Amino acid sequence: MKKTKSGIYGLNSLLDGGIIENTATVVIGAAGAGKTTFALQYIMRGMEVGDDGVFITLDENQEQIIKEAVDMGWVDILEYIKNGKLVFIDASAEQFSNFIRKELPSFVQQWGGTKSRIVIDPLTPVIWAQPDKYVQRELISFLFKELRHVGTVVCTLEEHGAGDLTGPETVIPMYMADCVVHLKYSTKGEGVERKLKVVKCRRSRHSERAHDYKILPGVGISIHHKKRESTGKTEVAEKVLAEFRERMKDLPKSTRIRLNKALTGLKDSDYETIDPNIFLSDIVEEYQG
Amino acid sequence: MKKTKSGIYGLNSLLDGGIIENTATVVIGAAGAGKTTFALQYIMRGMEVGDDGVFITLDENQEQIIKEAVDMGWVDILEYIKNGKLVFIDASAEQFSNFIRKELPSFVQQWGGTKSRIVIDPLTPVIWAQPDKYVQRELISFLFKELRHVGTVVCTLEEHGAGDLTGPETVIPMYMADCVVHLKYSTKGEGVERKLKVVKCRRSRHSERAHDYKILPGVGISIHHKKRESTGKTEVAEKVLAEFRERMKDLPKSTRIRLNKALTGLKDSDYETIDPNIFLSDIVEEYQG
Amino acid sequence: MKKTKSGIYGLNSLLDGGIIENTATVVIGAAGAGKTTFALQYIMRGMEVGDDGVFITLDENQEQIIKEAVDMGWVDILEYIKNGKLVFIDASAEQFSNFIRKELPSFVQQWGGTKSRIVIDPLTPVIWAQPDKYVQRELISFLFKELRHVGTVVCTLEEHGAGDLTGPETVIPMYMADCVVHLKYSTKGEGVERKLKVVKCRRSRHSERAHDYKILPGVGISIHHKKRESTGKTEVAEKVLAEFRERMKDLPKSTRIRLNKALTGLKDSDYETIDPNIFLSDIVEEYQG
Amino acid sequence: MKKTKSGIYGLNSLLDGGIIENTATVVIGAAGAGKTTFALQYIMRGMEVGDDGVFITLDENQEQIIKEAVDMGWVDILEYIKNGKLVFIDASAEQFSNFIRKELPSFVQQWGGTKSRIVIDPLTPVIWAQPDKYVQRELISFLFKELRHVGTVVCTLEEHGAGDLTGPETVIPMYMADCVVHLKYSTKGEGVERKLKVVKCRRSRHSERAHDYKILPGVGISIHHKKRESTGKTEVAEKVLAEFRERMKDLPKSTRIRLNKALTGLKDSDYETIDPNIFLSDIVEEYQG
Amino acid sequence: MKKTKSGIYGLNSLLDGGIIENTATVVIGAAGAGKTTFALQYIMRGMEVGDDGVFITLDENQEQIIKEAVDMGWVDILEYIKNGKLVFIDASAEQFSNFIRKELPSFVQQWGGTKSRIVIDPLTPVIWAQPDKYVQRELISFLFKELRHVGTVVCTLEEHGAGDLTGPETVIPMYMADCVVHLKYSTKGEGVERKLKVVKCRRSRHSERAHDYKILPGVGISIHHKKRESTGKTEVAEKVLAEFRERMKDLPKSTRIRLNKALTGLKDSDYETIDPNIFLSDIVEEYQG
Amino acid sequence: MKKTKSGIYGLNSLLDGGIIENTATVVIGAAGAGKTTFALQYIMRGMEVGDDGVFITLDENQEQIIKEAVDMGWVDILEYIKNGKLVFIDASAEQFSNFIRKELPSFVQQWGGTKSRIVIDPLTPVIWAQPDKYVQRELISFLFKELRHVGTVVCTLEEHGAGDLTGPETVIPMYMADCVVHLKYSTKGEGVERKLKVVKCRRSRHSERAHDYKILPGVGISIHHKKRESTGKTEVAEKVLAEFRERMKDLPKSTRIRLNKALTGLKDSDYETIDPNIFLSDIVEEYQG
């Protein structure tokens, strides 16, 4: 399971090293939260390491986005576009929906194995262009499934509705995606508050806390860690493991092997809210009860 | 009434021993709550004891789910699939709805008596594919009724709407199911909170408390019991029973026998919020008032 | 006005003796609240006193309900069904709606005078099968009107929507019914709370408090009275009556007789929040002001 | 402007003497609030003073309502019906809507001058039977306009929706009616609370407070006044009047006469939250500023 | 810019002298707030000063409104109607909508220059009679534009929906109107609260506070000023002006003249929450920065 | 990147100098917030510096807006209109929508390079005139894209719905616009509160605080700065830069150059909530981890 550096300063450690390759990540935020900045940082980071880049924009504003990058100081973007490492695609949501349905599968087959970063900014109009929740789901599911073969996908999503991420525009891609990042941008007293949170990340440990972030000119989104999250003592975990080996001698062999392997991988932080004795008893109960 | 071990560490004791065989259980949770992990643990547990397994996935992501299992360390899944003990079915919601209506009954008849575990992950698009609440209800009712003949069913359900489990996607299957488990995944201050709660469980005593749970790499969902719930003293209960026998001599015989049997089964915890004297008076009132 | 013992321990005293015969009662509750248990207790109680029983179930789950009864220890149900004292009817909501419109009146005429208990569990899909609020109202009104001639009706209703009993599925039958019982099942901190409340009861005094209840294995729903509600001193009430007779000599005769009779029936608890002097002055004002 | 005694104990004083003749009053309440009891008290009170009575019921439950009256001890109702003083009309909402549109005007013309009390219990289905808000408004407006020629109208209205009287079923008749009474029946802790409030009363002073009420067997709805509201000192009011006469000598004659008359009618309670000096200055400003 | 005396005691000073002639004012309030009383006061005040009056009522209740005026003691209304100074128009919303579209422009042309007061009570059904928000807006915009040529318009509007003035019935006319007055009538504890607030008033200074008001029999709506709002010291303002003249010598001439004039018109109260130094710096920045 | 002076006193410093030329700004506010005043100040400011002006009004109220300007003391507007520097366009939303679709592109081509200020007041009905969210988005996106070629655009937007800027009328243009300014006008106790906040501003640093503002007669909208926001010390920033140069020697050259440039542009205020050490560690991690 390979991980890709995200390009967003401080995010990789929240994702246990970075974004898993060939997955789909959704980045949700209100107007002004920094969604496009996130997408640009991600794509520019790929340029640095030689990945191919595809930037699909749905609101006919390719020009604006490039301006924004240049104003950020990322003038190299012009060269990447020129030499074809970075491709911009400007499509209406309907055109793109048709492309997904009719041409994406053969496109994916032809693309072959090149490692690439794919951005869709924003995904929202693609969802709106479908007639109902059922079709929205089917299309997004299919889109993610196909694109995962081609590269590592980041889609931005606008917050619509009551602000608790419950509108269908947000919730359907959240269920379909492998990884969900929320850029929460809200009023707090007379000022504002910016918090980044990893809502889910399939197949990975991930931070479960909300982290302050800023959008710094020239730098982009930077997450503010109060302190590094503990990267894993195993003192308690080893005691549990020893105890486990003692008590689980009678388990069927394959089960014992599997559990032994799982417990070997745990760290002290995993036991923070768990009483190891009851935990082991539950295992006993499961197999002998 | 036979009970099936769920495979989720710590859940069986909350269900008075496990999931009742040939029932339908619904597991509800938001994105990131661990629904698929729950489903995988359940099905893998069945593999260990020789049950057949059917894993129906509605979002064309069989491949992802298998990857997730392998990343969890449950590599045996590949062999179970290979030797046919575990069957994956990848269907669109419309295909599956048609299957339910047209072929399920004859399928159930042919299946005969093999003990099996059936997972539908997620059930949500099946509900969305129906035109209205009335048809949704009818289909889910029929689906559960038929599948109960074949095995023990676990369906996952996404939370949609305001987060209080009131949207039709969740509430209809909740009424139809025999057992409902809620994986509540919510923001708490700057962190998150994960709570598992048994909302209902027909024909069984069940825990009425919310319990912390974690998703441990390699292990899966583990419930954190603060302490084991008391497993049933009967000191008070026996006094009530003696008192009952004293006072109920004049009841009709069949009634006396039935109530005697019922009271014999109660435990002290059942009387926790009940005044035994008033309770017995209510019985008197019911039959002599 | 005859009253029927409900079979739910502790409920009769909240209804001033029981359910009035030939009325329609609606029992509302969320998933897990105990609606079917309530319905079973009610019908089994009728079996004990020789009533006929009709149990109409709309979700094709007659089999499940009988299992639930047997698991509760009420094995006699099998015999009652066998000897025809208890009839189960398994209908879809559309079939039942058609039956109500076309055959119910003639059915009621033929049934004649046998005393019976009728359960509809749940009524919700019958309401959903109608095209709009207006037709829902008309059908439920007609259903209750006809069934009152045949027996004493108990319908269960699911809670849908925001949980304050305001959805049309609940509010329309609440207005149509003679008696409404709410089984409130809600989260409280990390546990749950179960409260039974009589929302309305036409033609009867009824408790206006919420009461804890439990679902006890073998016993069923039992209400937990903190103490018996006072069953009616009349010390204050008699003083008011004497005062009334003194002051109301000049009223028209028929009015005097009617009011005298009404005041004779009151108890001290009726005056709890009323100042008797102002009360009598209001009467004077009404007739002489 | 003649006033009619309402028959509800304690209500007349809240309406400055009673219900104005030939107006339309709307009584709003949830299930169990006592709407039908209110309507019965109103109609029975009319019987005592020789008014004609018309009781229009929309839910085919004339029989139930009469039973309810008899159980309340108002057995005279049977005789009033027999001798034709009280007429019950049992109509579906559609029949009644047609009647309003096609026959009501000629009916009103024929009826002539007899004084009568008219009840519609409940008005809600009449509103539901109309296709939209616009038609609902037009029909209710027309209904009230016509019926005011025939007698004094009381309609009951069910509360639907969020409980703040904002659904179209309630708000449209509230704007059309001359007088609106709210029977608020709500949960308070483990008990309930019943409060009667006059929301509006055209052409009349009315109480602006919520008052406790009870439904007493045999008596009906009785309002609980903590103390009689002050019935009008005029000490302050007379000083203001004298001051007015002093300062307003230069006003145009007709204006002076009109204001003099208005101020003569005020009472001290009218000045409770008004500073008389600023009040008089505002008048000066209006006419001289 | 001429101002019209409103006839509502205490309102003129909140509007810096009265309602601007040839504008459209919207008065919003719930049932019982006093909208019709406001409209009557406004029209009667016009009668006193010889204005023409047109009272358009949409709910077929001309008769009721006149009764209400007479009961208020404003018996002169009968004579004004008789001699044609006050014209009542009773129209359905559809008739009136057609009139607006087809006949209003030529009507306005013919009317010529007579000064008049026009009331529409209530405007709500006119809005409901249009098929959607877009047409509602267009019609109201057109109505106000035309009527401003004829006279000074006051429309009443009912509050519908959640009580925060956000329903389309209220918000569209609020955006179209020149002046918006809210009569807020709400429950406060066991009593009620009446507050009048000027939400907006184009081309005028206006009060930004909520003011208590009462509806006094014979008098009508009277606003309760705690104390007169300060009518404008200029001590601070003059210092700012002097400072401005000192610092702004280098501004372009026309700009200097315009700003000099603007600052000359300000009062101390305008600087209440502004730091004059920063204010002047902002001006410098605007023109020299 | 050129900036345009906005004409609103105190706003430019919140936008780091003014509105970026050839961008689209959206100004949102409720009735009475001062949207039209904002638009007028912006356009008049352009007149002073010789820009062309186009004022598109959708509600047929050109006349009213000019009156409002004149009453504000901005009488020069009449001359600007006369000599063609300022053009008013009065269109219905449908006409304007058609113009956008069919004629705008060729219009933009012909216009050539003149610098101009374009106002649309309000944009709301243009949005309402489209059939659904998808088309609304497409049209607004296209409109902004085209108009940016012609000049610097300011559109006003009405607040509709629950007051949290979540209705589609507001949220779609907010996502499309380069800059969003919210004029929040709300009730606070018995008074009101006016707060201006820059919600987003692409390609610019901007204030993230809410600022009091007033609408002063003759002056227009003036923002009340409590104190000037710090305009940028760099003491901390320089230390971070030195540290960076020390630690980042091994980075790839192009990356080092880019980051060096970015960090050189930062100010102390940018580090307010960031620990510089962790920040630098995150950079190390991104490139070496």
Side-chain angles (χ1 to χ4, degrees), chain B residues 202-203, chain C residues 36-37 40 64-72:
Chain B
R202 282 187 193 148
R203 300 163 54 201
Chain C
T36 297
T37 305
L40 280 168
Q64 294 297 318
I65 289 171
I66 295 170
K67 263 191 201 162
E68 200 172 326
V70 170
D71 284 342
M72 269 305 225

Side-chain angles (χ1 to χ4, degrees), chain D residues 234-243 245 263 266 268 271:
Chain D
T234 56
E235 206 172 323
V236 173
E238 278 165 24
K239 277 185 196 162
V240 179
L241 188 58
E243 178 82 11
R245 284 169 183 158
L263 295 190
L266 297 188
D268 286 9
Y271 289 104

Side-chain angles (χ1 to χ4, degrees), chain D residues 244 251-260 287, chain E residues 9 45 48 76:
Chain D
F244 167 79
L251 287 185
K253 193 175 168 193
S254 69
T255 304
R256 214 170 59 229
I257 289 172
R258 184 170 63 75
L259 284 173
N260 187 71
Y287 288 96
Chain E
Y9 300 106
R45 187 70 181 88
E48 289 178 344
D76 303 350

Side-chain angles (χ1 to χ4, degrees), chain C residues 222-240:
Chain C
S222 303
I223 296 168
H224 173 213
H225 299 288
K226 268 156 199 158
K227 52 169 194 175
R228 295 250 146 196
E229 297 195 20
S230 71
T231 46
K233 285 193 194 169
T234 56
E235 205 171 324
V236 173
E238 278 165 25
K239 277 185 196 164
V240 179

Side-chain angles (χ1 to χ4, degrees), chain B residues 83-101:
Chain B
N83 64 27
K85 287 297 287 178
L86 175 55
V87 175
F88 263 83
I89 297 173
D90 225 349
S92 77
E94 280 179 7
Q95 290 166 343
F96 189 58
S97 302
N98 282 332
F99 170 79
I100 296 170
R101 285 207 182 83

Side-chain angles (χ1 to χ4, degrees), chain A residues 1 22 133-134 137-138 141-142 145 148-149 166 171-172 174-176 178 195 197-200 202-203 205-206 208-210 226 254-255 258-259 261-263 266 269-275 278-279 281-283 285-287 289, chain B residues 5-10 12-13 29-32 35 45 48 59-60 63-64 67-68 71 73-74 92-94 122 124-125 128-129 158-161 169 185 187 190-192 194 214 216-219 222-228:
Chain A
M1 186 169 52
N22 295 99
K133 287 194 296 184
Y134 181 75
R137 179 178 201 121
E138 209 171 46
S141 173
F142 183 69
K145 188 182 168 195
R148 282 185 195 109
H149 293 293
T166 59
V171 88
I172 290 173
M174 284 173 72
Y175 281 114
M176 300 295 109
D178 300 292
K195 294 270 183 190
K197 192 164 131 191
V198 179
V199 178
K200 86 173 195 191
R202 282 187 193 148
R203 301 162 53 202
R205 261 192 191 104
H206 64 86
E208 302 204 325
R209 291 235 305 282
K226 268 157 200 156
S254 69
T255 304
R258 184 170 62 75
L259 282 174
K261 196 170 124 204
L263 293 189
L266 296 189
S269 60
D270 290 326
Y271 290 103
E272 262 173 25
T273 58
I274 293 183
D275 179 327
I278 294 178
F279 176 56
S281 302
D282 281 336
I283 294 176
E285 183 270 353
E286 183 69 39
Y287 288 96
Chain B
K5 293 287 180 188
S6 67
I8 286 80
Y9 300 107
N12 297 333
S13 68
K35 291 181 301 297
R45 187 70 181 91
E48 291 178 342
D59 287 325
E60 312 200 12
E63 201 184 331
Q64 294 296 318
K67 263 191 201 162
E68 200 171 325
D71 285 342
W74 304 335
S92 77
E94 280 179 7
T124 308
W128 283 1
E158 301 166 358
E159 283 189 58
H160 286 267
E169 294 93 342
Y185 176 43
T187 297
E190 302 219 336
V192 300
R194 293 177 187 278
K214 293 201 94 173
L216 296 175
V219 175
S222 303
I223 296 168
H224 173 212
H225 298 288
K226 268 156 199 158
K227 52 167 196 177
R228 296 248 145 198

Side-chain angles (χ1 to χ4, degrees), chain C residues 92-142:
Chain C
S92 78
E94 281 180 5
Q95 290 166 341
F96 189 57
S97 303
N98 282 333
F99 169 79
I100 295 170
R101 285 207 182 83
K102 294 179 189 154
E103 300 171 46
L104 187 54
S106 69
F107 171 85
V108 168
Q109 279 200 327
Q110 290 163 26
W111 183 281
T114 325
K115 201 176 147 217
S116 66
R117 296 189 180 215
I118 302 162
V119 161
I120 305 174
D121 178 44
L123 188 60
T124 308
V126 181
I127 297 170
W128 283 0
Q130 314 313 317
D132 61 44
K133 288 195 297 183
Y134 182 75
V135 180
Q136 288 168 2
R137 180 178 200 120
E138 209 170 50
L139 188 81
I140 299 304
S141 171
F142 183 68

